[in-house]
Amino acid sequence: FDPRHYLGTHCYGLPKTGPHRLRFLLESVKDLRETLKRKGSTLVVRKGKPEDVICDLITQLGSVTAVVFHEEVREIL
């Protein structure tokens, strides 16, 4: 969870993530973790800036051969 996603937007100071969206996100992550666990896998969840967290996680795991990510698309006005 990137803390920057829970701050105001760039334009109007409106929340990027309100309480309902946050609850949906947390419930979805919990459900995904439970589904993966039933299939013999797991889900790693961390809080922090991805550029910091991913580096630390790779170092901690030690045997990482690939990293896949997506970047949020921002509309330019």
Side-chain angles (χ1 to χ4, degrees), residues 13-75:
L14 299 171
K16 282 184 167 184
T17 305
H20 300 293
R21 182 175 181 193
L22 180 58
R23 181 176 44 215
F24 172 77
L25 178 61
L26 293 173
E27 289 172 357
S28 298
V29 169
K30 181 181 177 185
D31 183 66
L32 176 59
R33 176 180 268 160
E34 291 169 358
T35 300
L36 289 171
K37 188 175 180 180
R38 285 193 302 271
K39 295 181 180 286
S41 190
T42 189
L43 178 66
V44 176
V45 179
R46 298 287 187 267
K47 177 184 171 190
K49 293 180 180 178
E51 58 270 24
D52 299 330
V53 172
I54 292 170
C55 245
D56 293 341
L57 194 55
I58 291 170
T59 302
Q60 187 179 27
L61 295 173
S63 62
V64 175
T65 57
V67 176
V68 179
F69 68 95
H70 80 278
E71 185 174 351
E72 180 180 356
V73 176
R74 292 181 185 222
E75 184 178 335

